[in-house]
Amino acid sequence: MSVCLLSGGNSVSLETGARRVVWGRCDRSKRARRAPARKTAAEVTIRAALFCLCLVAVLVVMFVFSPGADAAPEYDKTTGADRYQTAVQLSQKGFAPGVEGVVIATGENYPDALSAGPLAAAYGGPVLLTHSATLDESTKAEIMRLRPNKVFAVGLQPQVVAQLRAAFPEMDAAGGVVALVGTDRYDTARMVALEVQKRVGEVSGVVIVPGDSFADALTVAPLAAFKGWPILLTPGAGPLPAATTEALSSLGVRTGFVVGTWVDVAIADSNFTYVVGTDRYHTSSKVAELAIAEGMYHQALALTTGDDFPDALAAGPYLAREGGVLLLTRSITVPTQVGSFVVDKAESLARVSFIGLSPQLIAQVKLLLTSPGLPTDFTFATVAQGSGSVEVLWLEQRLTELTYRPGPMDGVFDHRTRQAVLAFQKWEGLPRDGVVGPATWSRLLTATPPFPRVKGSGSWVEVDKAKQVLLYVEAGVVARTLAVSTGSAAVGMITPSGTYNITRRSNQWDGPRYKPLYLRNFGVLAIHGYPSVPVWPASHGCVRVPTWDMDELFPLILVGARVHIY
């Protein structure tokens, strides 16, 4: 596209991506070039106005047609029929025949597989999965397609290694089938680390992660592979095992990352960076930030479930090819810290890969990515009782994660969903209307679960009269948050504050009280279910709970349980 803009006799040629905007000297007749130089004030004003309009047009064209302007990220989904097929699909997407090496680990148990990612990346190949007792046929077919020089069997049973040797006799005869099986998971990781060093030469650092869980090892695997650092294991609570200490000595490193644990490396003159979140998902988001700081490609992001290990295990070397960043998410909902990372990076992302995720979870992530300005300008459609949509499903999952439990997660905004929304709005100090509009959506993205006021051990109940919520607390952590209506002087009495113990229970209707939990032996003071639970104090003195919530609460609270009302 070309545009010729007149401004006296001057012109400029401007390239905008594939479009060419020409702001140039346009041909005029000789008469025009010999026209008198003197112009009237009106002519000057008109020409100046035309020049400004043309300049604005150029800037608009530059913005609209410049590469990447407001471009949505490219989405890629990899979901096989099972974990073995998902790993094969990743391999087919990322690796061409002729790779130097392939790593195979079991898809049924995680410990020996945790260190596999950096070794696969060092040889430019994938991690493939197989059954514990037999070689998976689809995996064998993928090895045949890739035609590697080496296959590393990490932690596999002898009969599977034997099947590998039988399936690839020429490779085996050349020493290409390598079994890496230590005395335990820590020793296996040591053996894998030495193979990484053999391949890449000098190793400048290592990553140390818990070997008694899988999430932290998998979330850091792309970063470890990107840097060429092996992954070593330790018990999460320490101390560092002998095999890991021996590996550090053999590798000659005193620096690296410790992810997901505060274990003391206890090596003289060591310099390790600790990356530890409140849970695996928070740790995952912190590792992703670290990966970007270390030079990984922040415009490429992959998400996979942190509830199980196989998909994330195969994702490590696949992402390490071009430095993509990995995030772990729950299988049913996006955790708060992960959602915040996605929202923060939404404008810069060029490609987002979904590995083994359900359609519902993919829809949630796309909503986070495509809603502009999150969280301050969050623009999900307003939903209320009677609505039914993917947004309602996300809402139900988020409320459940935050302890508000809206009933079945079916994408239908029913009376239970409304009461859960009300409980959330009460706790967060939002208008108590049961409608999820921009303010409530925005708060849902950044909220954390409610916290108890009382400290202690065991379980107990707290009733916050100002917020009109009930907290059921287990081991100091809120497990359930319910909307309640406490006593009102206008109809009876204000619910008295204080600390009580449950004196008796009734697993049925007791007059107007459904499944009451009585707080004293004299008079009527109880926590009970009731058909009507307004957003403000409206009872005769008791604490009203929605009847469906009382069905779940009643079995949890026994005679003698503490109740704190304030």
Side-chain angles (χ1 to χ4, degrees):
M1 182 178 92
S2 63
V3 178
C4 183
L5 304 180
L6 299 178
S7 174
N10 299 321
S11 65
V12 176
S13 176
L14 180 64
E15 297 285 348
T16 60
R19 308 280 182 152
R20 186 168 185 268
V21 178
V22 182
W23 176 10
R25 180 184 299 276
C26 298
D27 292 336
R28 301 183 191 178
S29 65
K30 293 181 180 180
R31 176 180 299 180
R33 286 198 296 270
R34 290 193 298 268
R38 296 179 61 185
K39 302 176 179 63
T40 65
E43 288 176 319
V44 172
T45 300
I46 292 172
R47 288 179 179 271
L50 288 172
F51 172 79
C52 291
L53 288 173
C54 291
L55 179 60
V56 170
V58 170
L59 295 176
V60 169
V61 171
M62 289 174 62
F63 177 77
V64 171
F65 295 108
S66 62
D70 286 336
E74 174 188 345
Y75 295 118
D76 176 68
K77 177 183 176 182
T78 305
T79 304
D82 55 27
R83 57 192 59 186
Y84 310 102
Q85 286 292 330
T86 298
V88 167
Q89 287 187 18
L90 286 176
S91 176
Q92 292 173 345
K93 285 183 177 182
F95 303 94
V99 298
E100 284 296 314
V102 171
V103 175
I104 303 182
T106 178
E108 296 174 14
N109 200 8
Y110 68 83
D112 289 323
L114 296 179
S115 57
L119 177 59
Y123 278 86
V127 168
L128 297 172
L129 304 178
T130 187
H131 304 283
S132 295
T134 60
L135 179 62
D136 183 78
E137 287 298 322
S138 62
T139 297
K140 183 170 72 173
E142 180 60 9
I143 296 173
M144 292 177 176
R145 184 190 73 86
L146 290 170
R147 302 195 303 274
N149 293 323
K150 286 183 177 292
V151 173
F152 294 93
V154 177
L156 296 185
Q157 295 294 323
Q159 63 267 32
V160 181
V161 176
Q163 292 173 38
L164 270 172
R165 297 186 191 281
F168 303 98
E170 294 183 2
M171 186 192 309
D172 182 48
V177 178
V178 182
L180 300 174
V181 185
T183 56
D184 58 21
R185 63 193 69 183
Y186 309 105
D187 192 44
T188 297
R190 177 193 64 81
M191 295 174 69
V192 172
L194 295 180
E195 289 291 339
V196 173
Q197 183 188 47
K198 187 186 299 184
R199 175 65 179 176
V200 304
E202 182 181 357
V203 174
S204 61
V206 298
V207 178
I208 299 175
V209 297
D212 42 16
S213 61
F214 59 82
D216 299 320
L218 302 181
T219 196
V220 78
L223 174 57
F226 176 77
K227 295 184 72 67
W229 289 2
I231 292 176
L232 298 174
L233 308 181
T234 178
L240 211 65
T244 300
T245 302
E246 180 184 342
L248 289 170
S249 177
S250 299
L251 295 170
V253 297
R254 288 180 169 80
T255 188
F257 306 132
V258 180
V259 177
T261 174
W262 294 107
V263 66
D264 185 7
V265 178
I267 295 179
D269 301 323
S270 62
N271 180 25
F272 282 86
T273 299
Y274 285 78
V275 185
V276 184
T278 56
D279 59 20
R280 65 186 58 185
Y281 306 105
H282 187 205
T283 299
S284 177
S285 65
K286 291 169 73 74
V287 168
E289 293 287 2
L290 174 64
I292 292 171
E294 290 289 324
M296 294 187 75
Y297 184 55
H298 71 278
Q299 291 182 311
L301 176 68
L303 292 99
T304 190
T305 179
D307 297 342
D308 204 355
F309 75 95
D311 292 336
L313 179 66
Y318 172 76
L319 290 171
R321 298 166 307 129
E322 52 189 29
V325 176
L326 179 66
L327 280 179
L328 301 183
T329 179
R330 289 190 179 93
S331 58
I332 61 171
T333 187
V334 179
T336 301
Q337 297 88 349
V338 174
S340 297
F341 181 93
V342 169
V343 169
D344 183 59
K345 300 295 186 292
E347 293 184 0
S348 63
L349 290 174
R351 183 172 66 259
V352 179
S353 299
F354 304 109
I355 301 174
L357 298 185
S358 67
Q360 294 85 351
L361 195 63
I362 292 173
Q364 292 176 33
V365 176
K366 286 184 177 180
L367 285 171
L368 291 173
L369 288 169
T370 56
S371 297
L374 289 172
T376 53
D377 297 324
F378 188 58
T379 56
F380 282 176
T382 298
V383 292
Q385 189 164 346
S387 300
S389 64
V390 172
E391 293 183 358
V392 174
L393 178 62
W394 190 95
L395 166 68
E396 291 171 332
Q397 293 168 339
R398 183 74 177 122
L399 289 170
T400 299
E401 179 185 27
L402 293 172
T403 74
Y404 297 97
R405 292 285 295 276
M409 287 181 284
D410 54 8
V412 178
F413 199 126
D414 58 12
H415 57 287
R416 294 193 66 167
T417 306
R418 183 176 185 275
Q419 281 292 342
V421 169
L422 287 170
F424 175 80
Q425 291 174 332
K426 288 179 175 184
W427 179 262
E428 296 293 332
L430 297 167
R432 306 175 182 185
D433 58 5
V435 175
V436 182
T440 301
W441 278 124
S442 179
R443 192 68 61 85
L444 278 164
L445 279 177
T446 58
T448 56
F451 49 87
R453 179 182 296 186
V454 179
K455 298 184 182 299
S457 59
S459 61
W460 66 88
V461 173
E462 294 183 27
V463 178
D464 188 325
K465 293 191 290 185
K467 293 182 180 292
Q468 291 287 282
V469 297
L470 179 150
L471 308 178
Y472 173 66
V473 184
E474 291 180 338
V477 177
V478 174
R480 291 291 311 276
T481 305
L482 308 178
V484 300
S485 180
T486 59
S488 168
V491 296
M493 59 175 284
I494 297 174
T495 302
S497 300
T499 299
Y500 302 86
N501 293 92
I502 301 299
T503 59
R504 59 191 176 92
R505 311 181 330 148
S506 175
N507 192 18
Q508 59 186 351
W509 284 96
D510 188 356
R513 295 172 288 277
Y514 180 64
K515 294 188 177 181
L517 303 166
Y518 290 99
L519 304 181
R520 60 190 180 191
N521 291 318
F522 57 94
V524 177
L525 179 60
I527 300 171
H528 64 82
Y530 199 74
S532 174
V533 181
V535 297
W536 303 106
S539 83
H540 291 78
C542 292
V543 179
R544 294 183 187 177
V545 177
T547 53
W548 52 87
D549 284 327
M550 201 64 206
D551 284 331
E552 295 186 11
L553 188 65
F554 184 89
L556 302 176
I557 303 175
L558 306 179
V559 171
R562 288 172 293 150
V563 178
H564 305 278
I565 302 177
Y566 45 82

